[in-house]
Amino acid sequence: MESQVEHSDEISASRPWLGGYAVLLLGALGIAFAAIFVRMSETGPVASAFWRMVLAVPVLALFAFRHERRGGRRIRILLSETSGAEWRLILGAGIMLGADLAVWHLSIMWTTVANATLLANVAPCFVALWLWVKYRERPAPLMFAALGVAGCSLAMLVSTSAGLGGTRLTGDVLGILTAVCYAAYLLLIKAVRRTWPTLLAMAVTSFVTAVVLAPFAIWEGDWLPGSLSGWGILAALAMISQVGGQTLIVHGLKTVPATLGSLSLLLQPVVTAALGWLIFAESFGPRTFTGFSMLLVAIVLARLAQGRPPVSP
């Protein structure tokens, strides 16, 4: 018995990332429910994005200032010393996060939750393309492979949706646009996090996003839920998917090996697709399933080439 305990202790000591891995998986599960909550919301898609941010900001701010107490006056000093150029980066990140969420929530309403979620996860490919075009940073071989597979799979998914008619094609195109907006957000927030701690950056950009989305949510109409259960869905979207999912993934990625983290985050689109099948009876034809599988491969390759994977929308 003692030898078994010693062996268990040796495994824990040699794999300190196991706790972080459990946290990472919980975060991925939390984000996987985001599309489900959006589809179930009693408000319009942009309004649900607005409330997602409004309800999340106080909790994120509380987390950030709890860290401030541990680090003295670091956050207050940081805020006072932030330059105008850095504030413009933060403003840009908040605007792009708002665009990302608004477009993605619309996509969720007009195509399957599986397509909307998976297409949004192609953001690393667009980041690589931007760095290649703008800064001549040649992508790694794995990223080249990811771009090729992603291009073929996107063409297959979009052409299939076009053949199905209705709003599917529009929803898929919005899913791709979501990835573009999120890629821009990732580039901006990366620059912000060079000087700002993660939780503070998340809290402030989320506040900017809420301000940006407010007029569009009101203009859209149906911006207030009509029942207590409607408020509960919005609270779940904010607390489980936004605060819980995003925060747990950020903390989990600190200790989990990059390759394992990249692969583990694929749990999100897979679980979302399964939930869409169970709750909304969304099925896959052979062509859609092939495109879905190819896009999963492309995302794996892109995240492995990128190292630390980005947190999903």
Side-chain angles (χ1 to χ4, degrees):
M1 183 67 178
E2 290 180 1
S3 62
Q4 291 178 348
V5 173
E6 289 174 359
H7 180 62
S8 177
D9 291 341
E10 288 175 3
I11 292 175
S12 299
S14 62
R15 296 182 180 178
W17 48 265
L18 285 175
Y21 183 55
V23 169
L24 179 66
L25 290 181
L26 283 174
L29 284 174
I31 293 181
F33 279 87
I36 307 302
F37 293 141
V38 171
R39 181 72 71 82
M40 295 172 64
S41 176
E42 295 178 359
T43 68
V46 178
S48 64
F50 165 73
W51 288 112
R52 175 178 180 170
M53 292 293 102
V54 168
L55 297 175
V57 166
V59 181
L60 290 172
L62 178 63
F63 287 168
F65 280 97
R66 281 190 63 187
H67 278 265
E68 180 198 13
R69 286 203 298 271
R70 297 175 185 173
R73 296 183 302 162
R74 188 166 69 97
I75 288 182
R76 283 196 292 269
I77 294 172
L78 180 63
L79 290 174
S80 65
E81 293 179 348
T82 299
S83 67
E86 289 172 323
W87 280 115
R88 285 191 291 274
L89 285 173
I90 293 165
L91 179 62
I95 291 172
M96 292 315 303
L97 180 59
D100 160 66
L101 290 177
V103 174
W104 186 51
H105 284 204
L106 286 166
S107 174
I108 290 167
M109 304 304 292
W110 290 347
T111 187
T112 63
V113 294
N115 278 23
T117 302
L118 195 64
L119 291 169
N121 275 271
V122 187
C125 293
F126 287 109
V127 171
L129 283 173
W130 171 255
L131 295 176
W132 190 11
V133 172
K134 179 69 174 179
Y135 300 106
R136 300 295 187 267
E137 292 187 15
R138 186 179 177 83
L142 274 178
M143 185 60 79
F144 268 121
L147 292 172
V149 176
C152 294
S153 57
L154 288 177
M156 183 176 293
L157 286 172
V158 170
S159 63
T160 302
S161 292
L164 292 172
T167 62
R168 283 283 295 270
L169 177 59
T170 302
D172 281 4
V173 171
L174 288 176
I176 297 171
L177 182 58
T178 299
V180 174
C181 293
Y182 196 63
Y185 164 74
L186 289 174
L187 290 166
L188 290 166
I189 202 66
K190 181 179 179 180
V192 172
R193 287 177 60 185
R194 289 172 187 157
T195 54
W196 279 43
T198 299
L199 286 173
L200 180 63
M202 290 173 64
V204 175
T205 54
S206 296
F207 174 78
V208 173
T209 297
V211 172
V212 169
L213 289 175
F216 297 99
I218 296 171
W219 175 79
E220 179 185 46
D222 296 326
W223 72 289
L224 287 171
S227 68
L228 189 59
S229 63
W231 282 109
I233 291 169
L234 292 177
L237 176 62
M239 296 300 109
I240 295 175
S241 299
Q242 188 65 29
V243 176
Q246 300 277 348
T247 305
L248 289 174
I249 286 177
V250 167
H251 283 286
L253 288 174
K254 290 180 180 179
T255 57
V256 175
T259 301
L260 182 61
S262 298
L263 296 175
S264 300
L265 286 182
L266 288 179
L267 180 68
Q268 179 214 345
V270 172
V271 170
T272 299
L275 291 171
W277 175 67
L278 287 170
I279 299 173
F280 305 120
E282 295 180 349
S283 59
F284 296 94
R287 189 177 173 87
T288 301
F289 182 80
T290 302
F292 189 92
S293 301
M294 289 174 62
L295 200 53
L296 276 176
V297 172
I299 294 169
V300 169
L301 294 174
R303 288 181 171 176
L304 291 178
Q306 194 179 47
R308 288 288 181 190
V311 180
S312 302

